[in-house]
Amino acid sequence: MQLGTLDVWADKPNEKNLKKELLRGLVSSTAFTLVIVALIHFNVLDTLDLFSGKESVNLSSVLPVTLVTSR
């Protein structure tokens, strides 16, 4: 998506540099992750309490029914 957005907003067509595009994607993804982690750390975003209980997690209550099958 990021690469497509850059192509749409670019004024002139320029040559593609795969290494530069990969680095830009890695940096933007890392920055997004750090922002989300900071928002969780400062209690701006709440996280699910999946693993806070002493009992084990019941996957059938978390996942859609089609993904949880017993064999």
Side-chain angles (χ1 to χ4, degrees):
M1 266 177 60
Q2 293 171 349
L3 300 178
T5 303
L6 291 175
D7 290 340
V8 169
W9 292 106
D11 292 335
K12 57 183 177 180
N14 49 353
E15 61 188 55
K16 301 228 181 216
N17 185 350
L18 182 61
K19 187 175 180 181
K20 187 176 180 181
E21 289 177 5
L22 287 175
L23 183 62
R24 182 181 297 146
L26 178 67
V27 168
S28 65
S29 298
T30 303
F32 177 78
T33 302
L34 291 175
V35 167
I36 296 299
V37 168
L39 290 174
I40 291 171
H41 177 74
F42 293 114
N43 295 324
V44 176
L45 290 178
D46 290 331
T47 57
L48 296 174
D49 293 329
L50 293 177
F51 304 108
S52 64
K54 293 182 181 178
E55 61 189 42
S56 64
V57 176
N58 183 3
L59 288 180
S60 62
S61 66
V62 178
L63 296 175
V65 177
T66 57
L67 293 178
V68 178
T69 58
S70 59
R71 293 183 183 208

